[in-house]
PDB file of all heavy atoms in Angstrom:
ATOM      1  N   ARG A   1      31.875  12.539 -39.728  1.00  0.00           N
ATOM      2  CA  ARG A   1      32.515  13.314 -40.790  1.00  0.00           C
ATOM      3  C   ARG A   1      33.289  12.404 -41.742  1.00  0.00           C
ATOM      4  O   ARG A   1      33.263  12.604 -42.957  1.00  0.00           O
ATOM      5  CB  ARG A   1      33.453  14.352 -40.175  1.00  0.00           C
ATOM      6  CG  ARG A   1      34.129  15.269 -41.194  1.00  0.00           C
ATOM      7  CD  ARG A   1      34.970  16.331 -40.495  1.00  0.00           C
ATOM      8  NE  ARG A   1      34.151  17.182 -39.629  1.00  0.00           N
ATOM      9  CZ  ARG A   1      34.651  18.147 -38.884  1.00  0.00           C
ATOM     10  NH1 ARG A   1      35.951  18.389 -38.862  1.00  0.00           N
ATOM     11  NH2 ARG A   1      33.844  18.883 -38.141  1.00  0.00           N
ATOM     12  N   GLU A   2      33.946  11.398 -41.180  1.00  0.00           N
ATOM     13  CA  GLU A   2      34.721  10.478 -42.019  1.00  0.00           C
ATOM     14  C   GLU A   2      33.812   9.677 -42.952  1.00  0.00           C
ATOM     15  O   GLU A   2      34.143   9.460 -44.120  1.00  0.00           O
ATOM     16  CB  GLU A   2      35.535   9.520 -41.135  1.00  0.00           C
ATOM     17  CG  GLU A   2      36.729  10.162 -40.445  1.00  0.00           C
ATOM     18  CD  GLU A   2      36.360  10.885 -39.162  1.00  0.00           C
ATOM     19  OE1 GLU A   2      35.155  11.099 -38.898  1.00  0.00           O
ATOM     20  OE2 GLU A   2      37.285  11.257 -38.412  1.00  0.00           O
ATOM     21  N   VAL A   3      32.673   9.240 -42.428  1.00  0.00           N
ATOM     22  CA  VAL A   3      31.720   8.499 -43.258  1.00  0.00           C
ATOM     23  C   VAL A   3      31.209   9.379 -44.393  1.00  0.00           C
ATOM     24  O   VAL A   3      31.169   8.964 -45.563  1.00  0.00           O
ATOM     25  CB  VAL A   3      30.542   7.979 -42.413  1.00  0.00           C
ATOM     26  CG1 VAL A   3      29.480   7.331 -43.311  1.00  0.00           C
ATOM     27  CG2 VAL A   3      31.027   6.973 -41.366  1.00  0.00           C
ATOM     28  N   CYS A   4      30.828  10.607 -44.064  1.00  0.00           N
ATOM     29  CA  CYS A   4      30.321  11.532 -45.084  1.00  0.00           C
ATOM     30  C   CYS A   4      31.388  11.851 -46.126  1.00  0.00           C
ATOM     31  O   CYS A   4      31.084  11.963 -47.328  1.00  0.00           O
ATOM     32  CB  CYS A   4      29.817  12.810 -44.430  1.00  0.00           C
ATOM     33  SG  CYS A   4      28.335  12.584 -43.409  1.00  0.00           S
ATOM     34  N   LYS A   5      32.632  11.971 -45.679  1.00  0.00           N
ATOM     35  CA  LYS A   5      33.717  12.250 -46.618  1.00  0.00           C
ATOM     36  C   LYS A   5      33.888  11.105 -47.605  1.00  0.00           C
ATOM     37  O   LYS A   5      34.097  11.337 -48.807  1.00  0.00           O
ATOM     38  CB  LYS A   5      35.022  12.483 -45.860  1.00  0.00           C
ATOM     39  CG  LYS A   5      36.212  12.793 -46.766  1.00  0.00           C
ATOM     40  CD  LYS A   5      37.494  12.988 -45.971  1.00  0.00           C
ATOM     41  CE  LYS A   5      38.681  13.239 -46.906  1.00  0.00           C
ATOM     42  NZ  LYS A   5      39.960  13.371 -46.151  1.00  0.00           N
ATOM     43  N   ASP A   6      33.801   9.874 -47.116  1.00  0.00           N
ATOM     44  CA  ASP A   6      33.905   8.711 -48.017  1.00  0.00           C
ATOM     45  C   ASP A   6      32.816   8.743 -49.081  1.00  0.00           C
ATOM     46  O   ASP A   6      33.060   8.485 -50.263  1.00  0.00           O
ATOM     47  CB  ASP A   6      33.779   7.410 -47.214  1.00  0.00           C
ATOM     48  CG  ASP A   6      35.006   7.095 -46.389  1.00  0.00           C
ATOM     49  OD1 ASP A   6      36.047   7.763 -46.574  1.00  0.00           O
ATOM     50  OD2 ASP A   6      34.924   6.175 -45.547  1.00  0.00           O
ATOM     51  N   ILE A   7      31.601   9.036 -48.631  1.00  0.00           N
ATOM     52  CA  ILE A   7      30.468   9.050 -49.560  1.00  0.00           C
ATOM     53  C   ILE A   7      30.615  10.178 -50.583  1.00  0.00           C
ATOM     54  O   ILE A   7      30.314   9.996 -51.766  1.00  0.00           O
ATOM     55  CB  ILE A   7      29.148   9.176 -48.762  1.00  0.00           C
ATOM     56  CG1 ILE A   7      28.946   7.920 -47.908  1.00  0.00           C
ATOM     57  CG2 ILE A   7      27.965   9.399 -49.702  1.00  0.00           C
ATOM     58  CD1 ILE A   7      27.802   8.018 -46.925  1.00  0.00           C
ATOM     59  N   GLU A   8      31.110  11.321 -50.140  1.00  0.00           N
ATOM     60  CA  GLU A   8      31.354  12.441 -51.051  1.00  0.00           C
ATOM     61  C   GLU A   8      32.438  12.085 -52.065  1.00  0.00           C
ATOM     62  O   GLU A   8      32.337  12.418 -53.250  1.00  0.00           O
ATOM     63  CB  GLU A   8      31.753  13.688 -50.262  1.00  0.00           C
ATOM     64  CG  GLU A   8      30.608  14.287 -49.455  1.00  0.00           C
ATOM     65  CD  GLU A   8      31.078  15.340 -48.458  1.00  0.00           C
ATOM     66  OE1 GLU A   8      32.305  15.610 -48.436  1.00  0.00           O
ATOM     67  OE2 GLU A   8      30.235  15.878 -47.720  1.00  0.00           O
ATOM     68  N   GLU A   9      33.495  11.411 -51.600  1.00  0.00           N
ATOM     69  CA  GLU A   9      34.562  10.992 -52.508  1.00  0.00           C
ATOM     70  C   GLU A   9      34.036  10.027 -53.558  1.00  0.00           C
ATOM     71  O   GLU A   9      34.449  10.087 -54.728  1.00  0.00           O
ATOM     72  CB  GLU A   9      35.702  10.334 -51.727  1.00  0.00           C
ATOM     73  CG  GLU A   9      36.651  11.307 -51.066  1.00  0.00           C
ATOM     74  CD  GLU A   9      37.869  10.616 -50.509  1.00  0.00           C
ATOM     75  OE1 GLU A   9      37.737   9.506 -49.963  1.00  0.00           O
ATOM     76  OE2 GLU A   9      38.970  11.186 -50.614  1.00  0.00           O
ATOM     77  N   ALA A  10      33.148   9.144 -53.145  1.00  0.00           N
ATOM     78  CA  ALA A  10      32.560   8.201 -54.096  1.00  0.00           C
ATOM     79  C   ALA A  10      31.845   8.951 -55.213  1.00  0.00           C
ATOM     80  O   ALA A  10      31.932   8.576 -56.400  1.00  0.00           O
ATOM     81  CB  ALA A  10      31.597   7.259 -53.386  1.00  0.00           C
ATOM     82  N   GLN A  11      31.157  10.012 -54.857  1.00  0.00           N
ATOM     83  CA  GLN A  11      30.462  10.818 -55.855  1.00  0.00           C
ATOM     84  C   GLN A  11      31.451  11.516 -56.784  1.00  0.00           C
ATOM     85  O   GLN A  11      31.251  11.567 -58.003  1.00  0.00           O
ATOM     86  CB  GLN A  11      29.558  11.845 -55.159  1.00  0.00           C
ATOM     87  CG  GLN A  11      28.424  11.216 -54.369  1.00  0.00           C
ATOM     88  CD  GLN A  11      27.654  12.221 -53.540  1.00  0.00           C
ATOM     89  OE1 GLN A  11      28.100  13.344 -53.320  1.00  0.00           O
ATOM     90  NE2 GLN A  11      26.471  11.835 -53.068  1.00  0.00           N
ATOM     91  N   VAL A  12      32.543  12.033 -56.209  1.00  0.00           N
ATOM     92  CA  VAL A  12      33.564  12.696 -57.015  1.00  0.00           C
ATOM     93  C   VAL A  12      34.195  11.722 -58.005  1.00  0.00           C
ATOM     94  O   VAL A  12      34.446  12.060 -59.168  1.00  0.00           O
ATOM     95  CB  VAL A  12      34.653  13.311 -56.105  1.00  0.00           C
ATOM     96  CG1 VAL A  12      35.830  13.808 -56.936  1.00  0.00           C
ATOM     97  CG2 VAL A  12      34.069  14.451 -55.287  1.00  0.00           C
ATOM     98  N   PHE A  13      34.443  10.498 -57.563  1.00  0.00           N
ATOM     99  CA  PHE A  13      35.065   9.485 -58.412  1.00  0.00           C
ATOM    100  C   PHE A  13      34.082   8.854 -59.381  1.00  0.00           C
ATOM    101  O   PHE A  13      34.466   8.059 -60.230  1.00  0.00           O
ATOM    102  CB  PHE A  13      35.696   8.385 -57.559  1.00  0.00           C
ATOM    103  CG  PHE A  13      36.915   8.825 -56.789  1.00  0.00           C
ATOM    104  CD1 PHE A  13      37.301   8.155 -55.643  1.00  0.00           C
ATOM    105  CD2 PHE A  13      37.681   9.901 -57.207  1.00  0.00           C
ATOM    106  CE1 PHE A  13      38.428   8.544 -54.926  1.00  0.00           C
ATOM    107  CE2 PHE A  13      38.795  10.305 -56.504  1.00  0.00           C
ATOM    108  CZ  PHE A  13      39.179   9.630 -55.366  1.00  0.00           C
ATOM    109  N   GLY A  14      32.794   9.182 -59.232  1.00  0.00           N
ATOM    110  CA  GLY A  14      31.790   8.603 -60.118  1.00  0.00           C
ATOM    111  C   GLY A  14      31.419   7.182 -59.771  1.00  0.00           C
ATOM    112  O   GLY A  14      30.929   6.426 -60.614  1.00  0.00           O
ATOM    113  N   ILE A  15      31.633   6.803 -58.510  1.00  0.00           N
ATOM    114  CA  ILE A  15      31.296   5.445 -58.069  1.00  0.00           C
ATOM    115  C   ILE A  15      29.791   5.348 -57.894  1.00  0.00           C
ATOM    116  O   ILE A  15      29.192   6.075 -57.108  1.00  0.00           O
ATOM    117  CB  ILE A  15      32.015   5.108 -56.748  1.00  0.00           C
ATOM    118  CG1 ILE A  15      33.529   5.074 -56.964  1.00  0.00           C
ATOM    119  CG2 ILE A  15      31.522   3.781 -56.184  1.00  0.00           C
ATOM    120  CD1 ILE A  15      34.339   4.921 -55.682  1.00  0.00           C
ATOM    121  N   GLN A  16      29.176   4.453 -58.638  1.00  0.00           N
ATOM    122  CA  GLN A  16      27.725   4.293 -58.585  1.00  0.00           C
ATOM    123  C   GLN A  16      27.307   2.905 -58.133  1.00  0.00           C
ATOM    124  O   GLN A  16      26.113   2.619 -58.020  1.00  0.00           O
ATOM    125  CB  GLN A  16      27.117   4.610 -59.954  1.00  0.00           C
ATOM    126  CG  GLN A  16      27.346   6.053 -60.390  1.00  0.00           C
ATOM    127  CD  GLN A  16      26.719   6.361 -61.725  1.00  0.00           C
ATOM    128  OE1 GLN A  16      26.472   5.476 -62.544  1.00  0.00           O
ATOM    129  NE2 GLN A  16      26.439   7.636 -61.969  1.00  0.00           N
ATOM    130  N   GLY A  17      28.270   2.051 -57.911  1.00  0.00           N
ATOM    131  CA  GLY A  17      27.975   0.701 -57.448  1.00  0.00           C
ATOM    132  C   GLY A  17      29.126   0.168 -56.634  1.00  0.00           C
ATOM    133  O   GLY A  17      30.264   0.620 -56.774  1.00  0.00           O
ATOM    134  N   VAL A  18      28.833  -0.784 -55.762  1.00  0.00           N
ATOM    135  CA  VAL A  18      29.868  -1.353 -54.900  1.00  0.00           C
ATOM    136  C   VAL A  18      29.791  -2.882 -54.964  1.00  0.00           C
ATOM    137  O   VAL A  18      28.740  -3.440 -55.288  1.00  0.00           O
ATOM    138  CB  VAL A  18      29.697  -0.860 -53.446  1.00  0.00           C
ATOM    139  CG1 VAL A  18      30.111   0.592 -53.328  1.00  0.00           C
ATOM    140  CG2 VAL A  18      28.273  -1.045 -52.931  1.00  0.00           C
ATOM    141  N   PRO A  19      30.943  -3.534 -54.695  1.00  0.00           N
ATOM    142  CA  PRO A  19      32.211  -2.952 -54.237  1.00  0.00           C
ATOM    143  C   PRO A  19      32.998  -2.316 -55.381  1.00  0.00           C
ATOM    144  O   PRO A  19      32.971  -2.806 -56.508  1.00  0.00           O
ATOM    145  CB  PRO A  19      32.974  -4.167 -53.691  1.00  0.00           C
ATOM    146  CG  PRO A  19      32.479  -5.308 -54.538  1.00  0.00           C
ATOM    147  CD  PRO A  19      31.025  -5.016 -54.769  1.00  0.00           C
ATOM    148  N   THR A  20      33.698  -1.243 -55.067  1.00  0.00           N
ATOM    149  CA  THR A  20      34.624  -0.607 -56.002  1.00  0.00           C
ATOM    150  C   THR A  20      35.991  -0.521 -55.335  1.00  0.00           C
ATOM    151  O   THR A  20      36.103  -0.076 -54.199  1.00  0.00           O
ATOM    152  CB  THR A  20      34.143   0.790 -56.403  1.00  0.00           C
ATOM    153  OG1 THR A  20      32.937   0.675 -57.179  1.00  0.00           O
ATOM    154  CG2 THR A  20      35.197   1.505 -57.249  1.00  0.00           C
ATOM    155  N   PHE A  21      37.009  -0.968 -56.068  1.00  0.00           N
ATOM    156  CA  PHE A  21      38.371  -1.039 -55.557  1.00  0.00           C
ATOM    157  C   PHE A  21      39.221   0.003 -56.276  1.00  0.00           C
ATOM    158  O   PHE A  21      39.312  -0.014 -57.514  1.00  0.00           O
ATOM    159  CB  PHE A  21      38.961  -2.429 -55.800  1.00  0.00           C
ATOM    160  CG  PHE A  21      38.107  -3.550 -55.256  1.00  0.00           C
ATOM    161  CD1 PHE A  21      37.017  -4.030 -55.984  1.00  0.00           C
ATOM    162  CD2 PHE A  21      38.380  -4.116 -54.028  1.00  0.00           C
ATOM    163  CE1 PHE A  21      36.224  -5.065 -55.488  1.00  0.00           C
ATOM    164  CE2 PHE A  21      37.600  -5.156 -53.522  1.00  0.00           C
ATOM    165  CZ  PHE A  21      36.519  -5.627 -54.249  1.00  0.00           C
ATOM    166  N   VAL A  22      39.823   0.906 -55.528  1.00  0.00           N
ATOM    167  CA  VAL A  22      40.672   1.952 -56.096  1.00  0.00           C
ATOM    168  C   VAL A  22      42.112   1.687 -55.657  1.00  0.00           C
ATOM    169  O   VAL A  22      42.410   1.627 -54.469  1.00  0.00           O
ATOM    170  CB  VAL A  22      40.221   3.346 -55.642  1.00  0.00           C
ATOM    171  CG1 VAL A  22      41.161   4.417 -56.202  1.00  0.00           C
ATOM    172  CG2 VAL A  22      38.783   3.619 -56.088  1.00  0.00           C
ATOM    173  N   VAL A  23      42.993   1.519 -56.641  1.00  0.00           N
ATOM    174  CA  VAL A  23      44.381   1.139 -56.363  1.00  0.00           C
ATOM    175  C   VAL A  23      45.304   2.343 -56.503  1.00  0.00           C
ATOM    176  O   VAL A  23      45.419   2.929 -57.586  1.00  0.00           O
ATOM    177  CB  VAL A  23      44.837   0.024 -57.324  1.00  0.00           C
ATOM    178  CG1 VAL A  23      46.272  -0.392 -56.995  1.00  0.00           C
ATOM    179  CG2 VAL A  23      43.907  -1.170 -57.243  1.00  0.00           C
ATOM    180  N   ASN A  24      45.936   2.710 -55.378  1.00  0.00           N
ATOM    181  CA  ASN A  24      46.903   3.811 -55.358  1.00  0.00           C
ATOM    182  C   ASN A  24      46.365   5.095 -55.987  1.00  0.00           C
ATOM    183  O   ASN A  24      47.132   5.897 -56.526  1.00  0.00           O
ATOM    184  CB  ASN A  24      48.195   3.391 -56.067  1.00  0.00           C
ATOM    185  CG  ASN A  24      48.965   2.339 -55.279  1.00  0.00           C
ATOM    186  OD1 ASN A  24      48.818   2.210 -54.076  1.00  0.00           O
ATOM    187  ND2 ASN A  24      49.787   1.571 -55.989  1.00  0.00           N
ATOM    188  N   ARG A  25      45.051   5.246 -55.955  1.00  0.00           N
ATOM    189  CA  ARG A  25      44.403   6.420 -56.552  1.00  0.00           C
ATOM    190  C   ARG A  25      44.735   6.579 -58.034  1.00  0.00           C
ATOM    191  O   ARG A  25      44.646   7.673 -58.589  1.00  0.00           O
ATOM    192  CB  ARG A  25      44.790   7.702 -55.796  1.00  0.00           C
ATOM    193  CG  ARG A  25      44.271   7.749 -54.360  1.00  0.00           C
ATOM    194  CD  ARG A  25      42.878   8.321 -54.327  1.00  0.00           C
ATOM    195  NE  ARG A  25      42.204   8.093 -53.056  1.00  0.00           N
ATOM    196  CZ  ARG A  25      41.458   9.006 -52.424  1.00  0.00           C
ATOM    197  NH1 ARG A  25      41.332  10.220 -52.932  1.00  0.00           N
ATOM    198  NH2 ARG A  25      40.835   8.716 -51.308  1.00  0.00           N
ATOM    199  N   GLU A  26      45.101   5.462 -58.680  1.00  0.00           N
ATOM    200  CA  GLU A  26      45.490   5.517 -60.087  1.00  0.00           C
ATOM    201  C   GLU A  26      44.452   4.871 -60.997  1.00  0.00           C
ATOM    202  O   GLU A  26      44.197   5.352 -62.095  1.00  0.00           O
ATOM    203  CB  GLU A  26      46.847   4.836 -60.286  1.00  0.00           C
ATOM    204  CG  GLU A  26      47.996   5.582 -59.606  1.00  0.00           C
ATOM    205  CD  GLU A  26      49.315   4.865 -59.757  1.00  0.00           C
ATOM    206  OE1 GLU A  26      49.331   3.761 -60.345  1.00  0.00           O
ATOM    207  OE2 GLU A  26      50.338   5.391 -59.291  1.00  0.00           O
ATOM    208  N   TYR A  27      43.897   3.753 -60.566  1.00  0.00           N
ATOM    209  CA  TYR A  27      42.834   3.153 -61.374  1.00  0.00           C
ATOM    210  C   TYR A  27      41.920   2.338 -60.476  1.00  0.00           C
ATOM    211  O   TYR A  27      42.237   2.074 -59.309  1.00  0.00           O
ATOM    212  CB  TYR A  27      43.398   2.300 -62.507  1.00  0.00           C
ATOM    213  CG  TYR A  27      44.042   1.003 -62.088  1.00  0.00           C
ATOM    214  CD1 TYR A  27      43.322  -0.176 -62.039  1.00  0.00           C
ATOM    215  CD2 TYR A  27      45.399   0.955 -61.778  1.00  0.00           C
ATOM    216  CE1 TYR A  27      43.909  -1.361 -61.672  1.00  0.00           C
ATOM    217  CE2 TYR A  27      46.003  -0.238 -61.415  1.00  0.00           C
ATOM    218  CZ  TYR A  27      45.245  -1.396 -61.366  1.00  0.00           C
ATOM    219  OH  TYR A  27      45.838  -2.576 -61.001  1.00  0.00           O
ATOM    220  N   ALA A  28      40.768   1.954 -61.033  1.00  0.00           N
ATOM    221  CA  ALA A  28      39.753   1.284 -60.220  1.00  0.00           C
ATOM    222  C   ALA A  28      39.102   0.153 -61.000  1.00  0.00           C
ATOM    223  O   ALA A  28      39.112   0.129 -62.234  1.00  0.00           O
ATOM    224  CB  ALA A  28      38.696   2.298 -59.785  1.00  0.00           C
ATOM    225  N   PHE A  29      38.541  -0.782 -60.245  1.00  0.00           N
ATOM    226  CA  PHE A  29      37.713  -1.829 -60.843  1.00  0.00           C
ATOM    227  C   PHE A  29      36.623  -2.164 -59.838  1.00  0.00           C
ATOM    228  O   PHE A  29      36.711  -1.813 -58.659  1.00  0.00           O
ATOM    229  CB  PHE A  29      38.538  -3.062 -61.219  1.00  0.00           C
ATOM    230  CG  PHE A  29      39.276  -3.707 -60.070  1.00  0.00           C
ATOM    231  CD1 PHE A  29      38.730  -4.781 -59.394  1.00  0.00           C
ATOM    232  CD2 PHE A  29      40.520  -3.234 -59.672  1.00  0.00           C
ATOM    233  CE1 PHE A  29      39.406  -5.382 -58.346  1.00  0.00           C
ATOM    234  CE2 PHE A  29      41.206  -3.819 -58.630  1.00  0.00           C
ATOM    235  CZ  PHE A  29      40.646  -4.906 -57.952  1.00  0.00           C
ATOM    236  N   SER A  30      35.578  -2.812 -60.285  1.00  0.00           N
ATOM    237  CA  SER A  30      34.433  -3.027 -59.407  1.00  0.00           C
ATOM    238  C   SER A  30      33.905  -4.450 -59.536  1.00  0.00           C
ATOM    239  O   SER A  30      34.280  -5.203 -60.440  1.00  0.00           O
ATOM    240  CB  SER A  30      33.317  -2.028 -59.722  1.00  0.00           C
ATOM    241  OG  SER A  30      32.878  -2.182 -61.065  1.00  0.00           O
ATOM    242  N   GLY A  31      33.026  -4.796 -58.616  1.00  0.00           N
ATOM    243  CA  GLY A  31      32.374  -6.096 -58.647  1.00  0.00           C
ATOM    244  C   GLY A  31      33.032  -7.122 -57.754  1.00  0.00           C
ATOM    245  O   GLY A  31      34.188  -6.982 -57.358  1.00  0.00           O
ATOM    246  N   ALA A  32      32.267  -8.165 -57.439  1.00  0.00           N
ATOM    247  CA  ALA A  32      32.770  -9.250 -56.599  1.00  0.00           C
ATOM    248  C   ALA A  32      33.599 -10.199 -57.461  1.00  0.00           C
ATOM    249  O   ALA A  32      33.130 -11.248 -57.916  1.00  0.00           O
ATOM    250  CB  ALA A  32      31.608  -9.995 -55.943  1.00  0.00           C
ATOM    251  N   GLN A  33      34.837  -9.830 -57.691  1.00  0.00           N
ATOM    252  CA  GLN A  33      35.708 -10.605 -58.552  1.00  0.00           C
ATOM    253  C   GLN A  33      36.013 -11.978 -57.935  1.00  0.00           C
ATOM    254  O   GLN A  33      36.127 -12.107 -56.715  1.00  0.00           O
ATOM    255  CB  GLN A  33      37.027  -9.862 -58.772  1.00  0.00           C
ATOM    256  CG  GLN A  33      36.887  -8.473 -59.365  1.00  0.00           C
ATOM    257  CD  GLN A  33      36.379  -8.511 -60.794  1.00  0.00           C
ATOM    258  OE1 GLN A  33      36.707  -9.420 -61.557  1.00  0.00           O
ATOM    259  NE2 GLN A  33      35.577  -7.546 -61.159  1.00  0.00           N
TER     260      GLN A  33
END
C-alpha cells in the first residue's frame, strides 16, 4: 500500500521523471544534480 501511495502521489504532483526532489512539500527539482 505504501509503494502504491508513493506512485499515486507522483501522479498527483505531475512527476514524470526521476529522480525528483520535493522540499518541505513547497517546491521541487529533478535530475542527477
Side-chain angles (χ1 to χ4, degrees):
R1 183 176 299 178
E2 287 83 348
V3 174
C4 293
K5 180 181 178 183
D6 287 349
I7 295 171
E8 290 168 2
E9 280 189 321
Q11 295 172 345
V12 171
F13 290 156
I15 295 173
Q16 297 181 337
V18 287
T20 293
F21 306 82
V22 178
V23 182
N24 291 337
R25 294 273 166 138
E26 294 177 357
Y27 71 92
F29 59 96
S30 60
Q33 303 293 325

